[in-house]
Amino acid sequence: MLRLFGPGCPHSPVDVHEASLRLDSTVWLDLFEPTRDEEALAEKVIGTNIPTRQEMQEIEPSSRLYERDGVAFMTMSVLYGVDQGRPSTDPISFILTEKHLVTVRYADPRPFVAFAQHAQAEEQLTRDPVTVLIRLLDAIVDREADELENAGRELEAISNHIFERRARSERRDPELHYEALMLRIGKVQRLLSRARESSVSGSRMLGFLGATERMREEEGHSRHLMSLIADARALDDHSDFLAENLNFLLDASLGMISLEQNFVMKVFSVVAVVLMPPTLIAGVYGMNFKHMPELQWLAGYPWAIGLMLASAIGPYWFARRRGWL
């Protein structure tokens, strides 16, 4: 799918033949899962080949960030799929020339959708390729910040569930509770890992973009770019903090599970101790020896029952007094 952005460009996707007639007014060419004809059109515009899907997935900085014949090729991993509960990242290439910006992507992140709507409503956003690129990167950084804030709130909620005494005392099914808790921790961990990957990739791309000769000549955009670089670095530090907090909560959850298991084993141990003396008494009087005086005693049976109850109450009272139960 090919979309064009610029003065007089249509809001809906266009085919290759229609796009070739509007290239004079086009500033941003957005290729989403492009066909070979759409790739050929973009290559005609920038005068060189665009990265393939395999090249975009390479993780070496030299393969993602480079300049060729005055054209800057930049690829970063962008976060998507959070709203669907399946956070992931996918590489998106930004190709910046003197007159055009070309984006090549195989995912549809939310910042692209939101910025495309704004660009169609405000033509000032697409007056030149650098403005489009800076504003688009700004939207991506803002989205990452929102997701990290959501992850921070979820970690706070998980912490309350783990450490609140009232929540632990009212728990009826600890197995189900801790299973749900571990699933929540795993969900946040997946989001944080993907957000961290996107944040680091974005910081590298912003640093590379700020070092290009094109951006050094753009004083107004350069200040905006420096602000984005600072924001991206702050997000890197914040994601590290959240990751450390998540690891602590994971260790705390495992510790709580161990405490629950120890409590269950302690209860079983105390019950075994409580039942041991009555079992011993019952075993003695259950022996089939011929000469046992109590067998002929009229009060022998109630005496044995009372003795067993007394021998069980004693250890139980002792365990309660020591706080074992």
Side-chain angles (χ1 to χ4, degrees), residues 128-170:
D128 62 82
V130 177
T131 299
V132 175
L133 178 59
I134 295 297
R135 294 298 183 89
L136 186 55
L137 293 175
D138 196 350
I140 294 174
V141 172
D142 286 344
R143 179 62 177 172
E144 290 178 359
D146 293 340
E147 295 304 335
L148 288 178
E149 291 174 1
N150 294 335
R153 286 191 289 268
E154 179 67 9
L155 288 180
E156 184 177 357
I158 292 174
S159 177
N160 293 335
H161 276 282
I162 294 175
F163 297 111
E164 279 188 358
R165 183 178 298 274
R166 181 180 178 184
R168 291 193 287 117
S169 63
E170 293 179 352

Side-chain angles (χ1 to χ4, degrees), residues 1-6 8-16 18-19 22 26 28 30 38 116-117 120:
M1 182 176 69
L2 174 62
R3 293 190 300 175
L4 305 179
F5 295 88
C9 292
H11 293 175
S12 58
V14 297
D15 58 30
V16 176
E18 182 181 358
R22 299 176 178 271
T26 299
W28 175 26
D30 182 30
E38 292 170 348
Q117 294 174 351
Q120 292 170 352

Side-chain angles (χ1 to χ4, degrees), residues 77-320:
S77 298
V78 180
L79 183 68
Y80 76 99
V82 179
D83 295 336
Q84 293 75 29
R86 297 185 298 273
S88 184
T89 56
D90 199 69
I92 296 179
S93 290
F94 301 83
I95 306 171
L96 181 64
T97 69
E98 184 177 354
K99 296 181 179 180
H100 300 92
L101 171 68
V102 178
T103 56
V104 185
R105 56 193 178 92
Y106 294 85
D108 199 18
R110 192 169 180 178
F112 272 80
V113 177
F115 180 77
Q117 294 174 351
H118 293 160
Q120 292 170 352
E122 302 178 27
E123 291 189 356
Q124 286 296 108
L125 296 177
T126 57
R127 64 177 181 267
D128 62 82
V130 177
T131 299
V132 175
L133 178 59
I134 295 297
R135 294 298 183 89
L136 186 55
L137 293 175
D138 196 350
I140 294 174
V141 172
D142 286 344
R143 179 62 177 172
E144 290 178 359
D146 293 340
E147 295 304 335
L148 288 178
E149 291 174 1
N150 294 335
R153 286 191 289 268
E154 179 67 9
L155 288 180
E156 184 177 357
I158 292 174
S159 177
N160 293 335
H161 276 282
I162 294 175
F163 297 111
E164 279 188 358
R165 183 178 298 274
R166 181 180 178 184
R168 291 193 287 117
S169 63
E170 293 179 352
R171 197 173 304 140
R172 292 295 181 267
D173 296 315
E175 302 86 0
L176 298 178
H177 171 81
Y178 283 116
E179 180 184 4
L181 191 62
M182 297 301 288
L183 290 176
R184 290 179 66 182
I185 291 176
K187 183 178 180 181
V188 176
Q189 191 278 333
R190 182 178 180 184
L191 173 59
L192 283 179
S193 64
R194 298 302 184 181
R196 172 66 176 168
E197 178 185 354
S198 178
S199 179
V200 171
S201 178
S203 297
R204 291 174 179 172
M205 175 179 164
L206 289 169
F208 173 82
L209 180 61
T212 58
E213 183 178 355
R214 175 74 177 275
M215 292 306 305
R216 287 195 294 266
E217 296 174 355
E218 299 279 351
E219 294 184 2
H221 292 304
S222 180
R223 288 192 295 269
H224 192 173
L225 181 60
M226 292 300 106
S227 176
L228 286 179
I229 293 175
D231 291 342
R233 290 174 178 172
L235 292 181
D236 290 343
D237 295 337
H238 189 59
S239 64
D240 290 339
F241 165 74
L242 292 179
E244 293 176 0
N245 193 13
L246 180 65
N247 289 331
F248 167 74
L249 293 179
L250 178 60
D251 293 338
S253 299
L254 296 177
M256 289 297 181
I257 293 174
S258 297
L259 290 177
E260 291 282 353
Q261 293 175 342
N262 292 338
F263 177 76
V264 173
M265 295 304 299
K266 181 174 65 174
V267 170
F268 277 115
S269 300
V270 173
V271 170
V273 171
V274 169
L275 295 179
M276 191 180 299
T279 303
L280 176 62
I281 296 172
V284 169
Y285 286 106
M287 293 186 295
N288 296 320
F289 290 111
K290 182 176 181 180
H291 300 287
M292 294 184 69
E294 292 84 355
L295 294 179
Q296 305 300 324
W297 187 22
L298 183 62
Y301 176 72
W303 167 260
I305 295 296
L307 187 60
M308 285 189 286
L309 289 176
S311 64
I313 292 174
Y316 176 78
W317 173 81
F318 182 77
R320 290 282 296 181

Side-chain angles (χ1 to χ4, degrees), residues 17-71:
H17 302 290
E18 182 181 358
S20 61
L21 301 176
R22 299 176 178 271
L23 291 180
D24 293 338
S25 60
T26 299
V27 175
W28 175 26
L29 290 82
D30 182 30
L31 300 175
F32 176 49
E33 296 183 350
T35 64
R36 185 63 197 116
D37 291 338
E38 292 170 348
E39 290 180 353
L41 177 64
E43 291 172 351
K44 178 182 178 181
V45 170
I46 63 177
T48 185
N49 296 331
I50 65 173
T52 63
R53 175 68 167 165
Q54 290 73 21
E55 293 172 342
M56 293 169 59
Q57 292 176 334
E58 295 180 359
I59 62 174
E60 310 96 300
S62 60
S63 299
R64 288 194 162 199
L65 306 170
Y66 58 93
E67 285 188 276
R68 180 189 301 162
D69 299 330
V71 179

